[in-house]
Amino acid sequence: MDNTTKVLIVVCFVLIGSLGFLSGVFLKRSTADHYDVTIEGDEGVTGSPQGPSWHRVMSFTGSGSDYRCVDIRGNKFKVVMSAAPIINYDVNTVTVDVLRDGQTLASATAEWGPTESPTRKKKMIEISGGPGYYCISVYAYEIEDWEVTVWDYY
């Protein structure tokens, strides 16, 4: 293979990577404009008997990819995900997407590198999208186990 071909291949990879990065930036910006999204945090149950409080409405576990839907009553809800990787000295990832009407509202990813400690990681997504029907999509790659819990605030 001559040098011109090698340079052309490298340029193609750089262009494809740049396009992917820019589309991710624009997608994140458009969802942040429409929804109040908080990633990471605590899952504590709060509220008083007289006012709204957090209610666990769904919890599911697995090791592979999964897809579940839930009816939300309150004006906001949160999705808490925790996961542990398979110890295989490879890259391990799990991503949770929150969808409404087929569009991704928010996403959180836990990732472990080949030499990173395989300790359990936890991520949280909070959505202020109002009552309605939402779906939770889990994409798992080389994951020992994960758990997703949905909390509704009403």
Side-chain angles (χ1 to χ4, degrees):
M1 190 180 316
D2 65 348
N3 284 340
T4 307
T5 306
K6 290 178 184 177
V7 169
L8 184 60
I9 291 173
V10 169
V11 168
C12 287
F13 278 118
V14 169
L15 287 175
I16 291 170
S18 299
L19 181 62
F21 174 76
L22 289 174
S23 65
V25 168
F26 287 123
L27 285 174
K28 291 263 187 214
R29 181 176 292 160
S30 67
T31 56
D33 290 344
H34 300 294
Y35 297 93
D36 178 23
V37 177
T38 306
I39 298 177
E40 307 261 5
D42 247 350
E43 67 168 314
V45 178
T46 61
S48 65
Q50 297 84 13
S53 62
W54 290 105
H55 302 271
R56 188 169 84 176
V57 293
M58 179 172 62
S59 186
F60 57 108
T61 61
S63 60
S65 298
D66 203 345
Y67 186 86
R68 306 280 176 102
C69 296
V70 63
D71 261 326
I72 297 297
R73 294 172 42 184
N75 287 325
K76 65 180 179 177
F77 68 100
K78 59 186 166 184
V79 177
V80 180
M81 176 267 295
S82 70
I86 293 175
I87 303 172
N88 60 357
Y89 305 104
D90 197 0
V91 175
N92 313 78
T93 61
V94 61
T95 300
V96 176
D97 292 337
V98 179
L99 303 105
R100 185 173 191 180
D101 300 326
Q103 293 187 341
T104 302
L105 304 179
S107 185
T109 299
E111 185 173 80
W112 295 261
T115 59
E116 189 174 348
S117 170
T119 57
R120 191 165 201 85
K121 290 187 179 181
K122 181 176 165 181
K123 300 284 184 173
M124 186 187 78
I125 304 170
E126 188 170 321
I127 302 288
S128 296
Y133 193 67
Y134 294 85
C135 293
I136 313 300
S137 183
V138 180
Y139 304 99
Y141 178 73
E142 303 289 347
I143 297 298
E144 179 75 28
D145 68 90
W146 52 259
E147 179 179 14
V148 172
T149 305
V150 179
W151 298 84
D152 193 355
Y153 190 76
Y154 60 88

